[in-house]
Amino acid sequence: QVQLVESGGGLVQAGGSLRLSCAASGRTFSIYTMGWFRQAPGKEREFAAGLNWNGGNTFYADSVKGRFTISRDNAKNTVYLQMNSLKPEDTAVYYCAAHKRAFAESRAPMDFGSWGQGTQVTVSS
């Protein structure tokens, strides 16, 4: 298991930016795909962004494509989510997660075995 701790959430006006961080500890971080998911009140958890083990492949939900950027620093065991042009509909608790299988790539929540505690992002209109 890997332990994940998110930070960087907060309240921002529409059109603003936030940068989320997720620090990992425990098992080897650098060989696992990392993902950011989000869950709004009354809705299911949904995929937002993913990044494969070496940073060579990124994938995004259509709703955030062009506005969010996922990146990782394997030397620091940290994954980031830069969120620009935020919209009220981006309001949610954001979770980072580590894939269950080394070197595998997917975006289904069931494929991710380690989750952080979440960080709240609120975008006001």
Side-chain angles (χ1 to χ4, degrees):
Q1 282 282 49
V2 61
Q3 289 74 48
L4 303 171
V5 179
E6 303 99 334
S7 61
L11 173 64
V12 64
Q13 289 188 331
S17 298
L18 282 174
R19 188 194 197 201
L20 306 183
S21 298
C22 174
S25 61
R27 71 178 184 190
T28 303
F29 169 80
S30 60
I31 61 174
Y32 293 93
T33 287
M34 298 296 295
W36 284 97
F37 295 79
R38 64 186 186 180
Q39 188 167 18
K43 295 187 177 180
E44 292 188 355
R45 190 169 299 187
E46 65 176 9
F47 170 82
L51 177 64
N52 77 330
W53 66 278
N54 66 358
N57 186 32
T58 57
F59 34 102
Y60 298 93
D62 288 344
S63 57
V64 308
K65 197 173 296 183
R67 300 187 297 120
F68 290 11
T69 303
I70 187 172
S71 61
R72 68 191 297 163
D73 184 337
N74 285 343
K76 295 182 178 179
N77 284 0
T78 302
V79 63
Y80 305 96
L81 186 67
Q82 178 66 44
M83 305 186 294
N84 298 329
S85 303
L86 282 161
K87 304 175 181 180
E89 51 263 44
D90 295 318
T91 295
V93 177
Y94 283 71
Y95 300 88
C96 73
H99 205 284
K100 290 178 181 177
R101 301 187 308 278
F103 307 114
E105 299 181 20
S106 63
R107 61 180 68 193
M110 67 174 64
D111 292 335
F112 290 75
S114 299
W115 294 82
Q117 82 289 350
T119 186
Q120 177 70 45
V121 171
T122 303
V123 184
S124 63
S125 58

